[in-house]
PDB file of all heavy atoms in Angstrom:
ATOM      1  N   LEU T 448     -30.478 -29.892  30.452  1.00  0.00           N
ATOM      2  CA  LEU T 448     -31.364 -30.538  29.480  1.00  0.00           C
ATOM      3  C   LEU T 448     -31.002 -32.009  29.406  1.00  0.00           C
ATOM      4  O   LEU T 448     -29.899 -32.387  29.028  1.00  0.00           O
ATOM      5  CB  LEU T 448     -31.197 -29.880  28.097  1.00  0.00           C
ATOM      6  CG  LEU T 448     -31.451 -28.365  28.028  1.00  0.00           C
ATOM      7  CD1 LEU T 448     -31.109 -27.842  26.640  1.00  0.00           C
ATOM      8  CD2 LEU T 448     -32.896 -28.060  28.358  1.00  0.00           C
ATOM      9  N   ASN T 449     -31.925 -32.840  29.801  1.00  0.00           N
ATOM     10  CA  ASN T 449     -31.684 -34.285  29.798  1.00  0.00           C
ATOM     11  C   ASN T 449     -31.949 -34.845  28.405  1.00  0.00           C
ATOM     12  O   ASN T 449     -32.989 -35.456  28.139  1.00  0.00           O
ATOM     13  CB  ASN T 449     -32.557 -34.978  30.852  1.00  0.00           C
ATOM     14  CG  ASN T 449     -32.215 -34.545  32.267  1.00  0.00           C
ATOM     15  OD1 ASN T 449     -31.044 -34.287  32.563  1.00  0.00           O
ATOM     16  ND2 ASN T 449     -33.229 -34.421  33.110  1.00  0.00           N
ATOM     17  N   ILE T 450     -31.001 -34.610  27.521  1.00  0.00           N
ATOM     18  CA  ILE T 450     -31.134 -35.128  26.164  1.00  0.00           C
ATOM     19  C   ILE T 450     -30.561 -36.532  26.137  1.00  0.00           C
ATOM     20  O   ILE T 450     -29.397 -36.758  26.460  1.00  0.00           O
ATOM     21  CB  ILE T 450     -30.380 -34.218  25.160  1.00  0.00           C
ATOM     22  CG1 ILE T 450     -30.980 -32.801  25.185  1.00  0.00           C
ATOM     23  CG2 ILE T 450     -30.438 -34.801  23.766  1.00  0.00           C
ATOM     24  CD1 ILE T 450     -30.274 -31.835  24.263  1.00  0.00           C
ATOM     25  N   THR T 451     -31.403 -37.473  25.809  1.00  0.00           N
ATOM     26  CA  THR T 451     -30.984 -38.878  25.772  1.00  0.00           C
ATOM     27  C   THR T 451     -30.843 -39.292  24.321  1.00  0.00           C
ATOM     28  O   THR T 451     -31.806 -39.383  23.564  1.00  0.00           O
ATOM     29  CB  THR T 451     -32.031 -39.762  26.477  1.00  0.00           C
ATOM     30  OG1 THR T 451     -33.292 -39.573  25.852  1.00  0.00           O
ATOM     31  CG2 THR T 451     -32.115 -39.395  27.959  1.00  0.00           C
ATOM     32  N   ALA T 452     -29.614 -39.526  23.936  1.00  0.00           N
ATOM     33  CA  ALA T 452     -29.326 -39.963  22.571  1.00  0.00           C
ATOM     34  C   ALA T 452     -28.149 -40.924  22.638  1.00  0.00           C
ATOM     35  O   ALA T 452     -27.218 -40.741  23.434  1.00  0.00           O
ATOM     36  CB  ALA T 452     -29.021 -38.782  21.653  1.00  0.00           C
ATOM     37  N   ASP T 453     -28.215 -41.948  21.787  1.00  0.00           N
ATOM     38  CA  ASP T 453     -27.176 -42.971  21.817  1.00  0.00           C
ATOM     39  C   ASP T 453     -25.905 -42.532  21.097  1.00  0.00           C
ATOM     40  O   ASP T 453     -24.809 -42.984  21.451  1.00  0.00           O
ATOM     41  CB  ASP T 453     -27.705 -44.277  21.186  1.00  0.00           C
ATOM     42  CG  ASP T 453     -28.888 -44.834  21.968  1.00  0.00           C
ATOM     43  OD1 ASP T 453     -28.978 -44.521  23.175  1.00  0.00           O
ATOM     44  OD2 ASP T 453     -29.718 -45.552  21.368  1.00  0.00           O
ATOM     45  N   ASN T 454     -26.029 -41.652  20.108  1.00  0.00           N
ATOM     46  CA  ASN T 454     -24.844 -41.239  19.355  1.00  0.00           C
ATOM     47  C   ASN T 454     -24.839 -39.713  19.219  1.00  0.00           C
ATOM     48  O   ASN T 454     -25.812 -39.034  19.568  1.00  0.00           O
ATOM     49  CB  ASN T 454     -24.814 -41.892  17.966  1.00  0.00           C
ATOM     50  CG  ASN T 454     -26.130 -41.698  17.211  1.00  0.00           C
ATOM     51  OD1 ASN T 454     -26.619 -40.591  17.068  1.00  0.00           O
ATOM     52  ND2 ASN T 454     -26.725 -42.803  16.745  1.00  0.00           N
ATOM     53  N   GLU T 455     -23.747 -39.215  18.720  1.00  0.00           N
ATOM     54  CA  GLU T 455     -23.566 -37.769  18.634  1.00  0.00           C
ATOM     55  C   GLU T 455     -24.456 -37.158  17.564  1.00  0.00           C
ATOM     56  O   GLU T 455     -24.917 -36.021  17.724  1.00  0.00           O
ATOM     57  CB  GLU T 455     -22.101 -37.464  18.340  1.00  0.00           C
ATOM     58  CG  GLU T 455     -21.765 -35.976  18.329  1.00  0.00           C
ATOM     59  CD  GLU T 455     -20.288 -35.711  18.122  1.00  0.00           C
ATOM     60  OE1 GLU T 455     -19.492 -36.667  18.243  1.00  0.00           O
ATOM     61  OE2 GLU T 455     -19.929 -34.560  17.816  1.00  0.00           O
ATOM     62  N   VAL T 456     -24.725 -37.871  16.501  1.00  0.00           N
ATOM     63  CA  VAL T 456     -25.557 -37.327  15.428  1.00  0.00           C
ATOM     64  C   VAL T 456     -26.974 -37.070  15.932  1.00  0.00           C
ATOM     65  O   VAL T 456     -27.546 -35.985  15.710  1.00  0.00           O
ATOM     66  CB  VAL T 456     -25.556 -38.272  14.220  1.00  0.00           C
ATOM     67  CG1 VAL T 456     -26.488 -37.744  13.136  1.00  0.00           C
ATOM     68  CG2 VAL T 456     -24.148 -38.449  13.677  1.00  0.00           C
ATOM     69  N   ASP T 457     -27.562 -38.044  16.619  1.00  0.00           N
ATOM     70  CA  ASP T 457     -28.909 -37.832  17.171  1.00  0.00           C
ATOM     71  C   ASP T 457     -28.914 -36.764  18.242  1.00  0.00           C
ATOM     72  O   ASP T 457     -29.879 -36.001  18.385  1.00  0.00           O
ATOM     73  CB  ASP T 457     -29.432 -39.159  17.740  1.00  0.00           C
ATOM     74  CG  ASP T 457     -29.611 -40.221  16.675  1.00  0.00           C
ATOM     75  OD1 ASP T 457     -29.707 -39.846  15.477  1.00  0.00           O
ATOM     76  OD2 ASP T 457     -29.622 -41.422  17.021  1.00  0.00           O
ATOM     77  N   PHE T 458     -27.811 -36.685  18.998  1.00  0.00           N
ATOM     78  CA  PHE T 458     -27.725 -35.675  20.046  1.00  0.00           C
ATOM     79  C   PHE T 458     -27.754 -34.269  19.442  1.00  0.00           C
ATOM     80  O   PHE T 458     -28.502 -33.404  19.915  1.00  0.00           O
ATOM     81  CB  PHE T 458     -26.428 -35.897  20.838  1.00  0.00           C
ATOM     82  CG  PHE T 458     -26.404 -35.186  22.159  1.00  0.00           C
ATOM     83  CD1 PHE T 458     -26.883 -35.804  23.317  1.00  0.00           C
ATOM     84  CD2 PHE T 458     -25.906 -33.890  22.262  1.00  0.00           C
ATOM     85  CE1 PHE T 458     -26.854 -35.152  24.531  1.00  0.00           C
ATOM     86  CE2 PHE T 458     -25.877 -33.240  23.473  1.00  0.00           C
ATOM     87  CZ  PHE T 458     -26.356 -33.866  24.618  1.00  0.00           C
ATOM     88  N   GLN T 459     -26.976 -34.045  18.406  1.00  0.00           N
ATOM     89  CA  GLN T 459     -26.981 -32.729  17.748  1.00  0.00           C
ATOM     90  C   GLN T 459     -28.305 -32.453  17.051  1.00  0.00           C
ATOM     91  O   GLN T 459     -28.731 -31.301  16.964  1.00  0.00           O
ATOM     92  CB  GLN T 459     -25.823 -32.647  16.759  1.00  0.00           C
ATOM     93  CG  GLN T 459     -24.447 -32.613  17.404  1.00  0.00           C
ATOM     94  CD  GLN T 459     -23.338 -32.454  16.389  1.00  0.00           C
ATOM     95  OE1 GLN T 459     -23.584 -32.527  15.183  1.00  0.00           O
ATOM     96  NE2 GLN T 459     -22.120 -32.236  16.858  1.00  0.00           N
ATOM     97  N   ALA T 460     -28.984 -33.497  16.551  1.00  0.00           N
ATOM     98  CA  ALA T 460     -30.282 -33.301  15.919  1.00  0.00           C
ATOM     99  C   ALA T 460     -31.305 -32.802  16.932  1.00  0.00           C
ATOM    100  O   ALA T 460     -32.134 -31.921  16.625  1.00  0.00           O
ATOM    101  CB  ALA T 460     -30.749 -34.595  15.263  1.00  0.00           C
TER     102      ALA T 460
END
Side-chain angles (χ1 to χ4, degrees):
L448 303 174
N449 296 325
I450 299 178
T451 57
D453 298 335
N454 51 53
E455 184 176 346
V456 176
D457 296 340
F458 196 90
Q459 291 183 351

